[in-house]
Amino acid sequence: MLELVNISKKFKQNYAVRNLNMFIERGEIVGLLGPNGAGKSTAISIMSSLVEPTQGDIYFNNHRILKKPKPLRKITGIVPQEIALYIDLTAEENLQFFGRIYQLKGAKLKERVNDVLQIIGLTDRRKEVVKKFSGGMKRRLNIGVALLHEPELIIMDEPTVGIDAQSRNYILETVKRLNKEKNVTVLYTSHYMEEVEYLCDRIYIMDKGNLIASGTKEEIRRILSGEKTIVIKANRLTELFINELKTHPLINSINVEEKQITIMVAKEVNMFADLIKLAEKASLELSSVNIKTPTLEDVFLHLTGRALRD
Ligand SMILES: Nc1ncnc2c1ncn2[C@@H]1O[C@H](COP(=O)(O)OP(=O)(O)O)[C@@H](O)[C@H]1O
Ligand SMILES: [Mg+2]
């Protein structure tokens, strides 16, 4: 349906996106994952013809569309990262306003506004002004705007940042439902691994403008098929202990949080004895040591040496 070939975007001296190759097939939910600054929004702006790439081509149904973006625009609904709503208008008035921009009117506009309110679960709040809405409700309405013209492709830019768990689940379920019931194709952008893991068939992972991994979940996990993840918890962590782990010859990567360290080692390595010895040496008490099979989050850690979470 949509293909990006060797897309790069330079702002002054810096690449926001570099040599990005990706495709989206009709009916898929594709994940675009990466931490802040990875280049996700820039990639989306290029697909939406809001930003012109420095280099590369975009194909829609096998036609080059960089110079003629209209056919793609017509069937695409974009959910921007920043909420774009009129806060003094009601939910319904916002949808009516944006519906008219999409050339909807009369009975058709009414029908679409009703449908969308139903999809985003705001039917009973339709008469309320948006400034009274919670962050989650604003997000849902922001998504609703992108659904008004019944798009075949929805591109969502971090639609769940900073909202309550309930709205977040609602949004995830809505994306699944639109895909299943209406065969809507979705590009879902996030820096939350578990969302992408839950929703998506295929995943692209970006970091600092570069694509660092892509494929099905299984394919990406297989990058780490020879490794295991060990999560070490302690009441407090000392520099000595952390440094011992950082310089340990059998530890391939390490991520330090407040009271928890995650390390990756080869599958066959047994670290228990070493960990206990090092903890004793640093005179700290371990509260737990857990071994897990690597998650997609661990793949990111492995490829970049950093955790995905901010
Ligand atoms: N209009 C712009 N001018 C200059 N630099 C930009 C602009 N837009 C984005 N960037 C830079 O490009 C990089 C990628 O940004 P962005 O695409 O917003 O990442 P993400 O959405 O993954 O957080 C960042 O370093 C950002 O500062
Ligand atoms: Mg962004």
Side-chain angles (χ1 to χ4, degrees):
M1 187 179 199
L2 187 63
E3 186 173 13
L4 272 61
V5 180
N6 258 330
I7 288 284
S8 294
K9 177 67 191 179
K10 230 172 159 178
F11 290 111
K12 301 236 171 76
Q13 295 310 311
N14 304 316
Y15 281 98
V17 169
R18 191 197 288 253
N19 289 327
L20 177 61
N21 288 289
M22 67 185 290
F23 64 89
I24 303 171
E25 307 248 39
R26 202 171 284 276
E28 279 188 309
I29 305 182
V30 173
L32 179 56
L33 184 78
N36 288 332
K40 306 182 298 296
S41 294
T42 303
I44 284 180
S45 298
I46 292 169
M47 287 176 221
S48 330
S49 65
L50 298 173
V51 164
E52 206 181 325
T54 315
Q55 176 202 299
D57 249 321
I58 304 182
Y59 293 81
F60 170 53
N61 293 336
N62 298 319
H63 296 290
R64 291 170 72 172
I65 53 131
L66 265 184
K67 300 270 181 303
K68 286 173 272 169
K70 253 205 187 135
L72 176 62
R73 273 196 177 174
K74 249 175 119 165
I75 61 104
T76 307
I78 312 274
V79 182
Q81 189 168 354
E82 305 300 332
I83 286 176
L85 298 167
Y86 291 96
I87 58 165
D88 290 315
L89 298 183
T90 65
E92 184 171 34
E93 287 164 347
N94 265 283
L95 292 174
Q96 284 163 345
F97 174 82
F98 287 106
R100 285 188 202 106
I101 292 182
Y102 287 127
Q103 318 283 327
L104 293 165
K105 47 188 174 248
K108 181 72 189 166
L109 175 61
K110 211 168 164 186
E111 179 197 315
R112 287 306 303 148
V113 168
N114 286 338
D115 278 2
V116 166
L117 284 166
Q118 198 79 46
I119 294 170
I120 58 177
L122 290 177
T123 302
D124 53 346
R125 314 295 291 266
R126 61 196 298 163
K127 302 285 185 200
E128 283 178 43
V129 288
V130 169
K131 65 179 162 206
K132 292 195 181 152
F133 278 9
S134 70
M137 288 161 71
K138 283 184 199 149
R139 280 271 164 214
R140 274 146 64 186
L141 188 56
N142 208 41
I143 293 170
V145 169
L147 300 177
L148 280 164
H149 62 307
E150 294 180 275
E152 294 167 37
L153 170 68
I154 306 176
I155 300 180
M156 306 177 94
D157 196 352
E158 308 221 36
T160 59
V161 169
I163 62 172
D164 58 287
Q166 203 184 346
S167 284
R168 183 186 189 198
N169 288 341
Y170 196 94
I171 288 172
L172 295 180
E173 292 316 315
T174 304
V175 171
K176 270 234 151 125
R177 199 154 28 90
L178 286 168
N179 175 256
K180 273 229 165 64
E181 291 170 12
K182 307 216 161 135
N183 199 34
V184 175
T185 308
V186 182
L187 178 66
Y188 189 92
T189 302
S190 179
H191 67 270
Y192 299 122
M193 183 65 80
E194 64 280 12
E195 289 186 354
V196 167
E197 198 154 8
Y198 171 71
L199 279 179
C200 304
D201 311 307
R202 283 192 311 113
I203 299 171
Y204 290 88
I205 306 180
M206 287 181 79
D207 185 43
K208 296 180 178 162
N210 299 305
L211 197 62
I212 59 168
S214 65
T216 62
K217 281 180 266 197
E218 290 67 33
E219 282 167 344
I220 291 178
R221 278 199 207 98
R222 228 174 282 146
I223 294 172
L224 289 183
S225 58
E227 301 204 38
K228 65 184 173 191
T229 303
I230 304 179
V231 182
I232 306 153
K233 290 188 180 162
N235 299 340
R236 63 191 178 88
L237 295 170
T238 63
E239 280 305 307
L240 177 63
F241 185 65
I242 293 167
N243 281 335
E244 291 279 3
L245 295 184
K246 277 188 175 160
T247 53
H248 197 290
L250 293 176
I251 296 176
N252 297 337
S253 49
I254 170 164
N255 181 49
V256 181
E257 282 158 282
E258 202 189 330
K259 291 181 174 179
Q260 170 175 317
I261 300 180
T262 307
I263 59 172
M264 270 185 283
V265 297
K267 236 182 196 161
E268 62 280 3
V269 167
N270 184 352
M271 285 293 298
F272 271 116
D274 268 22
L275 287 175
I276 289 166
K277 222 185 289 166
L278 292 174
E280 264 172 15
K281 189 168 155 193
S283 49
L284 57 85
E285 212 170 296
L286 300 179
S287 49
S288 70
V289 176
N290 279 310
I291 299 178
K292 330 177 281 176
T293 48
T295 62
L296 294 186
E297 179 88 35
D298 298 327
V299 174
F300 188 82
L301 175 63
H302 170 83
L303 292 172
T304 65
R306 288 175 291 115
L308 186 62
R309 287 184 289 260
D310 39 23

